[in-house]
């Protein structure tokens, strides 16, 4: 069924890197979600009223919120597919995260309201009336939500969408919630205990957990996360494949939605090579990175002198830095000789997880270098990594 729907409603469905195709997938996901949730909501509301079951009514209300969430998801995909404009020069891709975050707030509100209603049910209990049609509706609902979760999981994998994956999480929460409603309904046939109210609270907790899980998955991309290691490795491998590049550092990548990555890095080039030749190499690398990886990259050239003395002294300083912090590294190493002292100028990359402060790190490096030769002075710039 999933494959059939995709083939029928998603033109050029195999080209998932296309923004237009992603929007079509998102639109299909939203429309399917709206249709299924409206049907389930109406059915549960009717049978919840007939059986006087607060958990079934709450479950139906939850499906109403799910339908609204699918609408938000659909609108989010439509907006995310808009091209860049003067107000949003990096495009509208991050609206996808905003729509997923909005969904999570709807879910949390629903969970809190359900807890309030369930507590009231403890205070003012009503006898739940067992009904076979109501039980059948709940079983069908579980199966429908299971299919919807698998459907959106398939879509989410194809287009790598945070918003669609949030719908999957919500659907799994709904399955747990409806299962609790079914247990409460069946239990009403055998006991007068307030099982319905208990299950209402269980349903609420499941819903709240789903909402928090979605927040965790969306707040990171909105605040800014390090790029995936696979992307970093591919980028570094591509840049370093050119003969005119001897090292790279200060890599920064920003993601503005699916396949919208902008970044910068510093490329170390030999100082004794003609600057025009190096500049031509950097221009070529920037074009290749965009064509092969889809990343808009800006590369800064750092000319490096790599004679024997510089190489030996750099290796010695790198050894010192590694002794202080094994995960640290240095780059942009230069030697400037003077009549009374020699300046060693370099950048040191200090991992964020290191217990050392930047000043402590600098002082330790400086004192260790002084042990090599009292005439060595250091000019150290501390860098932090923006990749995982």
């Amino acid at each position: 069924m999933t494959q059939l729907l995709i083939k029928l409603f998603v033109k050029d469905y195999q080209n998932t890197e296309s923004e237009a195709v992603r929007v079509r997938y998102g639109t299909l996901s939203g429309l399917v979600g709206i249709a299924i949730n409206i049907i389930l909501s109406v059915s549960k509301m009717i049978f919840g009223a007939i059986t006087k079951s607060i958990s079934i009514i709450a479950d139906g209300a939850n499906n109403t919120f799910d339908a609204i969430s699918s609408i938000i998801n659909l609108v989010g995909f439509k907006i995310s597919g808009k091209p860049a404009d003067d107000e949003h020069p990096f495009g509208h891709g991050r609206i996808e995260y905003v729509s997923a975050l909005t969904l999570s707030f709807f879910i949390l509100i629903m969970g809190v309201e359900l807890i309030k209603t369930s507590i009231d049910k403890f205070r003012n209990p009503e006898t739940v009336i067992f009904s076979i049609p109501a039980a059948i509706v709940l079983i069908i609902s579980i199966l429908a939500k299971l299919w919807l979760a698998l459907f959106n999981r398939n879509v989410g994998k194809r287009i790598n969408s945070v918003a669609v994956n949030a719908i999957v999480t919500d659907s799994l929460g709904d399955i747990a919630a409806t299962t609790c409603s079914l247990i409460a309904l069946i239990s009403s046939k055998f006991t007068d205990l307030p099982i319905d109210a208990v299950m209402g609270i269980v349903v609420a907790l499941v819903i709240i957990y789903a909402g928090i899980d979605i927040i965790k998955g969306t707040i990171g991309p909105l605040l800014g996360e390090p790029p995936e290691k696979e992307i970093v490795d591919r980028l570094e491998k591509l840049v370093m494949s050119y003969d005119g590049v001897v090292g790279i550092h200060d890599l920064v990548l920003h993601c503005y939605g699916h396949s919208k990555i902008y970044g910068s890095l510093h490329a170390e080039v030999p100082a004794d090579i003609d600057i025009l030749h190096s500049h031509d190499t950097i221009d070529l690398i920037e074009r290749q990175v965009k064509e092969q990886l889809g990343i808009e990259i800006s590369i800064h050239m750092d000319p490096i002198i790599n004679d024997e003395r510089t190489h030996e002294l750099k290796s010695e300083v790198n050894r010192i830095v590694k002794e202080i912090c094994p995960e640290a590294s240095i780059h942009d190493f230069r030697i400037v000789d003077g009549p009374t002292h020699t300046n060693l100028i370099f950048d040191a990359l200090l991992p964020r997880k290191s217990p050392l402060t930047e000043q402590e790190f600098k002082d330790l490096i400086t004192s260790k270098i002084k042990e090599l030769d009292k005439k060595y002075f250091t000019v150290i710039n501390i860098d932090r990594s923006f990749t995982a």
Side-chain angles (χ1 to χ4, degrees):
M1 175 65 80
T2 298
Q3 190 64 23
L4 177 62
L5 287 173
I6 289 172
K7 286 183 177 180
L8 286 175
F9 297 102
V10 181
K11 183 181 177 182
D12 196 20
Y13 67 93
Q14 293 179 324
N15 185 20
T16 52
E17 292 301 314
S18 165
E19 194 60 40
V21 173
R22 291 190 80 253
V23 171
R24 292 186 197 115
Y25 269 106
T27 301
L28 176 62
S29 171
L31 291 174
V32 169
I34 292 168
I36 288 179
N37 282 305
I38 287 177
I39 293 171
L40 293 179
S41 177
V42 172
S43 302
K44 289 176 186 177
M45 289 290 191
I46 292 172
F47 284 99
I50 292 172
T51 59
K52 297 182 180 180
S53 170
I54 185 62
S55 59
I56 296 179
I57 293 173
D59 204 8
N62 184 38
N63 288 135
T64 302
F65 273 92
D66 290 342
I68 295 171
S69 299
S70 294
I71 294 172
I72 293 171
N73 192 37
L74 192 155
V75 172
F77 265 101
K78 289 290 186 181
I79 297 175
S80 70
K82 290 174 62 178
D85 53 35
D86 291 340
E87 289 76 25
H88 308 92
F90 296 103
H92 300 78
R94 284 187 176 174
I95 196 69
E96 193 174 325
Y97 307 130
V98 176
S99 63
L101 192 61
T102 304
L103 163 62
S104 69
F105 290 140
F106 271 107
I107 292 171
L108 290 177
I109 292 170
M110 179 64 203
V112 171
E113 288 300 319
L114 178 51
I115 286 179
K116 291 179 181 178
T117 306
S118 298
I119 291 174
D120 184 64
K121 186 84 174 192
F122 270 114
R123 295 171 180 165
N124 305 289
E126 288 185 30
T127 302
V128 176
I129 303 170
F130 177 77
S131 166
I132 291 179
I136 292 173
V137 166
L138 292 179
I139 292 170
I140 292 173
S141 174
I142 291 170
L143 295 175
K145 277 292 185 174
L146 179 60
W147 178 85
L148 187 62
L150 294 173
F151 169 76
N152 281 310
R153 183 169 176 268
N154 189 312
V155 171
K157 275 188 174 182
R158 287 171 184 253
I159 63 175
N160 190 25
S161 168
V162 173
V164 174
N165 289 334
I167 295 292
V168 175
T169 301
D170 185 39
S171 294
L172 294 175
D174 290 343
I175 292 170
T178 305
T179 301
C180 289
S181 298
L182 181 61
I183 292 171
L185 182 66
I186 294 173
S187 298
S188 68
K189 190 177 174 76
F190 306 101
T191 180
D192 292 329
L193 294 173
I195 303 296
D196 186 48
V198 173
M199 287 302 170
I201 292 175
V202 173
V203 169
L205 293 176
V206 170
I207 291 171
I208 290 172
Y209 177 82
I212 293 173
D213 194 50
I214 293 170
I215 290 175
K216 288 180 180 178
T218 55
I219 203 73
L222 284 172
L223 291 176
E225 292 180 318
E228 295 178 6
K229 187 177 185 301
E230 180 187 357
I231 294 176
V232 174
D233 290 344
R234 289 177 63 194
L235 177 58
E236 289 181 347
K237 183 178 180 181
L238 176 58
V239 176
M240 290 299 296
S241 68
Y242 288 81
D243 292 336
V245 177
V246 296
I248 63 173
H249 56 87
D250 290 349
L251 172 61
V252 179
L253 294 177
H254 300 282
C255 180
Y256 288 85
H258 179 77
S259 299
K260 292 186 177 71
I261 303 175
Y262 301 84
S264 63
L265 63 84
H266 288 216
E268 297 176 355
V269 298
D272 55 355
I273 292 181
D274 182 83
I275 190 171
L276 292 178
H277 177 79
S278 293
H279 186 271
D280 183 68
T281 300
I282 295 301
D283 277 349
L284 178 60
I285 294 172
E286 289 176 340
R287 287 195 295 271
Q288 289 299 309
V289 168
K290 183 175 181 179
E291 290 175 6
Q292 296 184 30
L293 304 180
I295 300 173
E296 293 273 2
I297 196 83
S298 176
I299 302 178
H300 172 80
M301 286 192 303
D302 283 335
I304 299 297
I305 297 174
N306 199 27
D307 56 22
E308 185 175 349
R309 180 185 176 222
T310 302
H311 177 73
E312 289 178 357
L313 198 47
K314 179 182 178 181
S315 297
E316 191 66 20
V317 171
N318 192 53
R319 179 189 63 77
I320 289 171
V321 169
K322 292 287 187 184
E323 285 180 357
I324 297 170
C325 180
E327 293 81 22
S329 61
I330 64 171
H331 52 265
D332 279 358
F333 186 86
R334 304 190 301 282
I335 302 173
V336 179
D337 289 307
T340 61
H341 66 276
T342 297
N343 281 334
L344 305 184
I345 306 170
F346 58 92
D347 292 352
L349 179 65
L350 178 64
R352 296 184 189 277
K353 64 181 180 181
S354 172
L356 297 171
T357 66
E358 293 185 7
Q359 191 58 51
E360 288 171 343
F361 190 45
K362 278 185 181 182
D363 292 343
L364 284 170
I365 295 172
T366 300
S367 64
K368 292 282 187 181
I369 289 176
K370 282 286 187 183
E371 293 175 8
L372 296 177
D373 192 326
K374 293 185 182 299
K375 290 183 179 180
Y376 288 155
F377 282 51
T378 59
V379 180
I380 307 171
N381 177 59
I382 302 298
D383 279 347
R384 297 287 190 171
S385 175
F386 293 96
T387 60

